[in-house]
Every structure is written in structure tokens, then in C-alpha cells.
Tab-separated table of all heavy atoms in Angstrom:
chain	number	residue	atom	x	y	z
N	190	TRP	N	126.992	131.880	145.329
N	190	TRP	CA	127.920	130.923	146.065
N	190	TRP	C	129.400	131.069	145.458
N	190	TRP	O	130.260	130.653	146.182
N	190	TRP	CB	127.452	129.531	146.130
N	190	TRP	CG	126.180	129.465	146.844
N	190	TRP	CD1	124.913	129.535	146.237
N	190	TRP	CD2	125.961	129.476	148.122
N	190	TRP	NE1	123.968	129.438	147.248
N	190	TRP	CE2	124.706	129.434	148.451
N	190	TRP	CE3	126.898	129.502	149.227
N	190	TRP	CZ2	124.039	129.360	149.724
N	190	TRP	CZ3	126.368	129.442	150.579
N	190	TRP	CH2	125.016	129.399	150.794
N	191	VAL	N	129.679	131.709	144.428
N	191	VAL	CA	131.034	131.893	143.918
N	191	VAL	C	131.341	133.421	144.187
N	191	VAL	O	130.904	134.311	143.421
N	191	VAL	CB	131.115	131.507	142.427
N	191	VAL	CG1	132.499	131.656	141.794
N	191	VAL	CG2	130.704	130.002	142.181
N	192	HIS	N	132.305	133.615	145.057
N	192	HIS	CA	132.524	134.964	145.466
N	192	HIS	C	133.689	135.703	144.587
N	192	HIS	O	133.697	136.921	144.510
N	192	HIS	CB	132.967	134.982	146.933
N	192	HIS	CG	131.788	134.409	147.828
N	192	HIS	ND1	130.579	134.925	147.911
N	192	HIS	CD2	131.788	133.332	148.509
N	192	HIS	CE1	129.819	134.231	148.642
N	192	HIS	NE2	130.552	133.228	149.085
N	193	ASN	N	134.487	134.930	143.933
N	193	ASN	CA	135.518	135.502	143.142
N	193	ASN	C	134.991	135.847	141.744
N	193	ASN	O	134.374	134.949	141.092
N	193	ASN	CB	136.675	134.518	143.074
N	193	ASN	CG	137.842	135.047	142.175
N	193	ASN	OD1	137.681	135.083	140.920
N	193	ASN	ND2	139.046	135.312	142.783
N	194	GLU	N	135.149	137.076	141.306
N	194	GLU	CA	134.528	137.519	140.072
N	194	GLU	C	134.993	136.765	138.873
N	194	GLU	O	134.261	136.337	137.900
N	194	GLU	CB	134.811	139.046	139.913
N	194	GLU	CG	134.170	139.621	138.724
N	194	GLU	CD	134.387	141.107	138.336
N	194	GLU	OE1	134.973	141.703	139.230
N	194	GLU	OE2	133.892	141.470	137.384
N	195	ARG	N	136.285	136.483	138.859
N	195	ARG	CA	136.857	135.693	137.697
N	195	ARG	C	136.307	134.295	137.693
N	195	ARG	O	135.966	133.822	136.656
N	195	ARG	CB	138.378	135.731	137.719
N	195	ARG	CG	138.962	135.022	136.507
N	195	ARG	CD	140.430	134.821	136.663
N	195	ARG	NE	140.639	133.841	137.762
N	195	ARG	CZ	141.824	133.619	138.361
N	195	ARG	NH1	142.836	134.378	138.084
N	195	ARG	NH2	142.007	132.776	139.296
N	196	ASP	N	136.173	133.766	138.848
N	196	ASP	CA	135.628	132.320	138.891
N	196	ASP	C	134.139	132.350	138.424
N	196	ASP	O	133.720	131.367	137.751
N	196	ASP	CB	135.744	131.790	140.302
N	196	ASP	CG	137.233	131.466	140.527
N	196	ASP	OD1	138.203	131.551	139.706
N	196	ASP	OD2	137.545	130.958	141.716
N	197	ARG	N	133.356	133.392	138.805
N	197	ARG	CA	132.003	133.487	138.277
N	197	ARG	C	131.895	133.549	136.884
N	197	ARG	O	131.037	132.904	136.264
N	197	ARG	CB	131.351	134.736	139.063
N	197	ARG	CG	130.854	134.577	140.466
N	197	ARG	CD	129.913	135.642	140.734
N	197	ARG	NE	130.292	137.038	140.660
N	197	ARG	CZ	131.096	137.728	141.468
N	197	ARG	NH1	131.423	137.238	142.625
N	197	ARG	NH2	131.489	138.969	141.136
N	198	ILE	N	132.707	134.332	136.284
N	198	ILE	CA	132.853	134.500	134.728
N	198	ILE	C	133.151	133.064	134.205
N	198	ILE	O	132.502	132.628	133.256
N	198	ILE	CB	133.799	135.488	134.343
N	198	ILE	CG1	133.329	136.884	134.713
N	198	ILE	CG2	134.132	135.420	132.859
N	198	ILE	CD1	134.338	138.053	134.715
N	199	ILE	N	134.162	132.408	134.745
N	199	ILE	CA	134.550	131.039	134.194
N	199	ILE	C	133.403	130.112	134.340
N	199	ILE	O	133.015	129.479	133.405
N	199	ILE	CB	135.726	130.489	135.033
N	199	ILE	CG1	137.007	131.258	134.635
N	199	ILE	CG2	135.971	129.088	134.758
N	199	ILE	CD1	138.119	131.167	135.595
N	200	LEU	N	132.815	130.045	135.490
N	200	LEU	CA	131.657	128.992	135.620
N	200	LEU	C	130.491	129.443	134.667
N	200	LEU	O	129.940	128.456	134.119
N	200	LEU	CB	131.076	129.161	137.168
N	200	LEU	CG	131.737	128.143	138.151
N	200	LEU	CD1	131.284	126.836	137.988
N	200	LEU	CD2	133.157	128.337	138.293
N	201	LYS	N	130.135	130.653	134.631
N	201	LYS	CA	129.058	131.044	133.671
N	201	LYS	C	129.376	130.688	132.179
N	201	LYS	O	128.527	130.184	131.452
N	201	LYS	CB	128.667	132.572	133.789
N	201	LYS	CG	127.987	132.903	134.993
N	201	LYS	CD	127.747	134.438	135.147
N	201	LYS	CE	127.145	134.840	136.442
N	201	LYS	NZ	127.001	136.346	136.454
N	202	ARG	N	130.612	130.983	131.832
N	202	ARG	CA	130.921	130.796	130.374
N	202	ARG	C	130.964	129.231	130.145
N	202	ARG	O	130.541	128.823	129.103
N	202	ARG	CB	132.280	131.332	130.024
N	202	ARG	CG	132.388	132.867	130.106
N	202	ARG	CD	131.598	133.626	129.024
N	202	ARG	NE	132.434	133.415	127.844
N	202	ARG	CZ	131.873	133.309	126.638
N	202	ARG	NH1	130.551	133.168	126.461
N	202	ARG	NH2	132.648	133.250	125.614
N	203	VAL	N	131.392	128.400	131.069
N	203	VAL	CA	131.461	126.968	130.811
N	203	VAL	C	130.083	126.389	131.014
N	203	VAL	O	129.595	125.591	130.158
N	203	VAL	CB	132.495	126.297	131.909
N	203	VAL	CG1	132.280	124.855	131.785
N	203	VAL	CG2	133.827	126.729	131.401
N	204	LEU	N	129.332	126.617	132.135
N	204	LEU	CA	128.153	125.922	132.371
N	204	LEU	C	126.875	126.418	131.675
N	204	LEU	O	126.069	125.746	131.175
N	204	LEU	CB	127.798	126.028	133.879
N	204	LEU	CG	128.758	125.336	134.773
N	204	LEU	CD1	128.321	125.534	136.224
N	204	LEU	CD2	128.789	123.878	134.513
N	205	LEU	N	126.892	127.770	131.345
N	205	LEU	CA	125.748	128.327	130.642
N	205	LEU	C	125.962	128.552	129.197
N	205	LEU	O	125.060	128.370	128.280
N	205	LEU	CB	125.329	129.642	131.396
N	205	LEU	CG	125.016	129.667	132.752
N	205	LEU	CD1	124.846	131.027	133.388
N	205	LEU	CD2	123.781	128.867	132.976
N	206	ASP	N	127.263	128.902	128.746
N	206	ASP	CA	127.521	129.196	127.403
N	206	ASP	C	128.170	128.008	126.696
N	206	ASP	O	128.485	128.042	125.576
N	206	ASP	CB	128.487	130.394	127.287
N	206	ASP	CG	127.780	131.718	127.814
N	206	ASP	OD1	126.520	131.764	127.934
N	206	ASP	OD2	128.524	132.654	128.190
N	207	ASN	N	128.519	127.020	127.458
N	207	ASN	CA	129.277	125.750	126.924
N	207	ASN	C	130.496	126.027	126.196
N	207	ASN	O	130.703	125.438	125.185
N	207	ASN	CB	128.146	125.104	126.142
N	207	ASN	CG	128.207	123.590	126.156
N	207	ASN	OD1	128.767	123.030	127.217
N	207	ASN	ND2	127.645	122.901	125.318
N	208	ILE	N	131.210	126.932	126.748
N	208	ILE	CA	132.605	127.310	126.135
N	208	ILE	C	133.585	126.311	126.697
N	208	ILE	O	133.630	125.974	127.852
N	208	ILE	CB	132.915	128.631	126.549
N	208	ILE	CG1	131.881	129.719	126.101
N	208	ILE	CG2	134.409	129.048	125.989
N	208	ILE	CD1	131.687	129.876	124.582
N	209	HIS	N	134.446	125.750	125.848
N	209	HIS	CA	135.509	124.862	126.129
N	209	HIS	C	136.599	125.554	126.831
N	209	HIS	O	136.814	126.796	126.714
N	209	HIS	CB	136.032	124.089	124.989
N	209	HIS	CG	134.957	123.088	124.495
N	209	HIS	ND1	134.901	121.854	124.793
N	209	HIS	CD2	134.051	123.312	123.506
N	209	HIS	CE1	133.891	121.268	124.264
N	209	HIS	NE2	133.317	122.182	123.404
N	210	TYR	N	137.494	124.895	127.616
N	210	TYR	CA	138.400	125.382	128.518
N	210	TYR	C	139.448	126.265	127.793
N	210	TYR	O	139.827	127.389	128.174
N	210	TYR	CB	139.119	124.439	129.201
N	210	TYR	CG	138.362	123.565	130.240
N	210	TYR	CD1	138.588	122.306	130.637
N	210	TYR	CD2	137.108	124.010	130.657
N	210	TYR	CE1	138.009	121.613	131.628
N	210	TYR	CE2	136.281	123.321	131.585
N	210	TYR	CZ	136.648	122.082	132.036
N	210	TYR	OH	135.972	121.270	132.906
N	211	GLU	N	140.027	125.778	126.634
N	211	GLU	CA	141.032	126.279	125.931
N	211	GLU	C	140.581	127.728	125.350
N	211	GLU	O	141.347	128.752	125.561
N	211	GLU	CB	141.557	125.416	124.791
N	211	GLU	CG	142.367	124.166	125.277
N	211	GLU	CD	141.464	123.031	125.725
N	211	GLU	OE1	140.174	123.151	125.530
N	211	GLU	OE2	141.935	122.154	126.195
N	212	PRO	N	139.511	127.805	124.623
N	212	PRO	CA	139.151	129.131	123.988
N	212	PRO	C	138.788	130.141	125.220
N	212	PRO	O	139.017	131.263	125.198
N	212	PRO	CB	137.810	128.952	123.238
N	212	PRO	CG	137.853	127.413	123.087
N	212	PRO	CD	138.611	126.691	124.082
N	213	LEU	N	138.219	129.651	126.312
N	213	LEU	CA	137.923	130.390	127.452
N	213	LEU	C	139.231	131.058	128.152
N	213	LEU	O	139.352	132.257	128.491
N	213	LEU	CB	137.014	129.718	128.523
N	213	LEU	CG	136.677	130.528	129.777
N	213	LEU	CD1	135.953	131.817	129.441
N	213	LEU	CD2	135.922	129.664	130.697
N	214	ALA	N	140.153	130.120	128.221
N	214	ALA	CA	141.500	130.603	128.853
N	214	ALA	C	142.168	131.731	127.945
N	214	ALA	O	142.568	132.601	128.455
N	214	ALA	CB	142.419	129.375	129.004
N	215	GLU	N	142.027	131.495	126.565
N	215	GLU	CA	142.518	132.545	125.671
N	215	GLU	C	141.761	133.757	125.807
N	215	GLU	O	142.260	134.972	125.890
N	215	GLU	CB	142.397	131.942	124.301
N	215	GLU	CG	143.586	132.373	123.430
N	215	GLU	CD	143.493	131.595	122.028
N	215	GLU	OE1	143.903	130.428	121.974
N	215	GLU	OE2	142.936	132.175	121.235
């Protein structure tokens, strides 16, 4: 359901890997 590759990476890192926004943005 998430068609943008970057957004898929973001969602996976946040929801599955529990990465916080700031380190992920970096």
C-alpha cells in the first residue's frame, strides 16, 4: 500500500525497527 520507495523505507524503519525520526532523517 505504500508506493513510494523512500516512504516504504521510512515506514519500515519506524514501525518495524523502532528508529526515531531524527536518526532516520540523518
Side-chain angles (χ1 to χ4, degrees):
W190 298 99
V191 179
H192 303 296
N193 179 288
E194 182 180 358
R195 184 188 65 198
D196 289 356
R197 279 196 307 271
I198 292 167
I199 291 169
L200 270 287
K201 286 179 184 179
R202 297 289 282 142
V203 170
L204 295 175
L205 300 173
D206 300 335
N207 219 15
I208 302 296
H209 290 270
Y210 298 161
E211 292 81 4
L213 181 56
E215 219 171 276

